[in-house]
């Protein structure tokens, strides 16, 4: 029995069981009763096993029939989902999309990319939620999230787009005025900008495979990342940031990266969404769009 014939035979077998009789299955399939009988017989012959015990009054699954029925249902379900996924790819994305991202990463990179996405897909409406607190996507009704941390939720699908580190930086003027640092303990004598990104009064480092905290102090404390970066650029003091926050001034020399040998492991940046075989076309299009947009964002 050929592949397509086998699939039709499996559909017929499932219909016979679900409908409870050969004649009812024929009506459900819009086929003749003799055609249904022939298909079932051909299927059993190809498998060399009896699937149904048939009398004039009732049908009963054999032990082999019960096992094969489960297999048929699984195969037909997966085929239906595969066809639905292909059909969804041809639909123009539309509807409402809810996206979450960390505040500063969202401001710098997600929001501009999202605006370009909405220009490309005007039938999509979007709510962008910028929040540094990790929220449960299922409970909050969120379609897609950008996460900067290892995932602790196995129900989410994650697609990596990069990695970041926590880095210590200073302006050339600050280093000239306050002196260089070659070890985290040197920070005790420096003016440090304490901010949310760095951990306020304690900055964390790694040495010889061990993580530890170093107390820092200074005359400025800021609860907003961009303001802290600006203060660092202006030479106020040393700052501790996530690497993407200072990637541009590091690239053009306005800031200098120090204590690189003591940085902790890189943190993954992922696009995450609740596990679902059938994603709406708007969600699928947005995930692919953001993967392309964020792939070249300087993060390290």
């Amino acid at each position: 029995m050929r592949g397509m014939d086998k699939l039709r035979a499996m559909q017929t077998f499932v219909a016979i069981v679900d409908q409870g009789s050969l004649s009812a299955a024929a009506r459900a399939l819009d086929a003749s009763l003799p055609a249904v009988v022939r298909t079932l017989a051909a299927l059993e012959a190809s498998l060399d096993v009896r699937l149904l015990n048939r009398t004039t009054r009732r049908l009963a699954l054999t032990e082999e029939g019960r096992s094969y029925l489960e297999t048929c249902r699984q195969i037909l379900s997966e085929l239906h989902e595969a066809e639905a996924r292909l059909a969804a790819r041809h639909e123009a994305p539309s509807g409402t999309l809810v996206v979450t991202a960390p505040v500063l990463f969202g401001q710098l990179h997600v929001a501009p990319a999202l605006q370009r996405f909405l220009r490309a897909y005007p039938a999509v409406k979007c709510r962008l939620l910028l929040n540094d607190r990790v929220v449960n996507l299922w409970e909050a009704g969120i379609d897609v999230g950008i996460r900067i941390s290892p995932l602790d939720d196995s129900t989410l699908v994650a697609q990596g787009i990069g990695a970041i580190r926590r880095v210590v930086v200073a302006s050339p003027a600050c280093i000239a005025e306050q002196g260089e640092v070659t070890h985290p303990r040197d920070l005790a004598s420096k003016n440090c900008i304490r901010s949310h990104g760095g951990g306020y009064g304690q900055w964390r480092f790694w040495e010889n495979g061990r993580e530890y905290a170093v107390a820092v102090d200074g005359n400025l404390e800021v609860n907003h990342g961009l303001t802290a970066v600006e203060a660092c650029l202006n030479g106020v003091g040393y700052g501790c940031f996530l690497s993407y926050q200072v990637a541009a001034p590091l690239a053009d020399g306005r800031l200098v990266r120090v204590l690189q040998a003591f940085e902790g492991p890189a943190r993954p940046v992922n696009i995450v969404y609740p596990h679902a075989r059938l994603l709406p076309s708007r969600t699928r299009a947005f995930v692919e769009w953001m993967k392309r947009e964020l792939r070249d964002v300087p993060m390290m």
Side-chain angles (χ1 to χ4, degrees):
M1 182 177 287
R2 295 175 301 175
M4 291 301 295
D5 292 337
K6 178 64 70 67
L7 282 173
R8 280 193 287 269
M10 293 168 72
Q11 292 170 329
T12 299
F13 172 55
V14 171
I16 292 169
V17 175
D18 289 345
Q19 298 298 320
S21 71
L22 295 168
S23 56
R27 289 193 294 272
L29 295 170
D30 194 24
S32 67
L33 178 58
V36 169
V37 172
R38 287 195 301 271
T39 299
L40 177 60
L43 178 61
E44 290 180 323
S46 70
L47 298 172
D48 194 24
V49 68
R50 181 173 290 277
L51 300 173
L52 291 165
N53 287 319
R54 302 182 286 279
T55 68
T56 56
R57 295 187 176 182
R58 61 187 297 271
L59 297 174
L61 283 165
T62 64
E63 182 178 348
E64 294 80 3
R66 281 191 293 272
S67 175
Y68 190 63
L69 177 65
E70 183 178 345
T71 300
C72 288
R73 290 195 192 281
Q74 181 178 349
I75 291 173
L76 294 173
S77 175
E78 291 180 354
L79 176 63
H80 173 75
E81 291 179 353
E83 291 174 340
R85 284 196 296 271
L86 289 174
R89 292 180 184 275
H90 299 293
E91 297 176 0
S94 62
T96 300
L97 184 71
V98 184
V99 179
T100 185
V103 176
L104 190 50
F105 191 87
Q107 291 173 331
L108 291 175
H109 303 303
V110 177
L114 175 57
Q115 292 162 23
R116 291 188 287 272
F117 174 81
L118 293 176
R119 286 197 293 270
Y121 298 100
V124 176
K125 295 181 178 180
C126 184
R127 285 198 296 130
L128 177 59
L129 309 175
L130 300 182
N131 197 329
D132 286 329
R133 178 175 55 86
V134 176
V135 297
N136 184 296
L137 300 192
W138 288 103
E139 294 176 358
I142 294 172
D143 299 297
V144 183
I146 309 296
R147 291 276 173 84
I148 304 177
S149 62
L151 294 183
D152 56 3
D153 188 344
S154 61
T155 66
L156 297 178
V157 177
Q159 300 203 33
I161 55 173
I164 63 169
R165 294 183 186 274
R166 199 175 293 280
V167 300
V168 177
V169 299
S171 69
C174 174
I175 295 173
E177 179 183 343
Q178 297 193 33
E180 295 184 6
V181 295
T182 59
H183 191 276
R185 61 174 170 263
D186 298 338
L187 292 168
S189 62
K190 310 302 179 186
N191 195 54
C192 295
I193 302 165
R194 292 167 294 142
S195 67
H196 172 71
Y200 289 110
Q202 286 194 330
W203 294 354
R204 307 197 70 82
F205 298 94
W206 281 71
E207 188 172 10
N208 299 322
R210 182 178 64 89
E211 184 182 21
Y212 60 96
V214 171
V216 297
D217 200 3
N219 59 6
L220 179 63
E221 180 177 310
V222 183
N223 70 344
H224 189 268
L226 286 179
T227 304
V229 172
E230 188 68 24
C232 199
L233 285 165
N234 289 333
V236 172
Y238 284 83
C240 185
F241 305 100
L242 295 176
S243 53
Y244 78 86
Q245 298 173 335
V246 290
L250 282 175
D252 62 23
R254 288 179 293 154
L255 290 177
V256 178
R257 190 170 178 172
V258 300
L259 301 177
Q260 195 162 347
F262 301 94
E263 294 172 359
R267 302 180 180 189
V269 181
N270 292 304
I271 299 178
V272 299
Y273 46 92
H275 179 66
R277 291 184 177 179
L278 292 179
L279 285 177
S281 59
R282 61 182 175 274
T283 304
R284 191 181 304 280
F286 178 75
V287 168
E288 294 304 316
W289 182 278
M290 294 305 291
K291 284 167 59 180
R292 291 192 301 270
E293 289 274 331
L294 300 180
R295 188 176 294 125
D296 297 326
V297 167
M299 298 186 192
M300 294 290 284

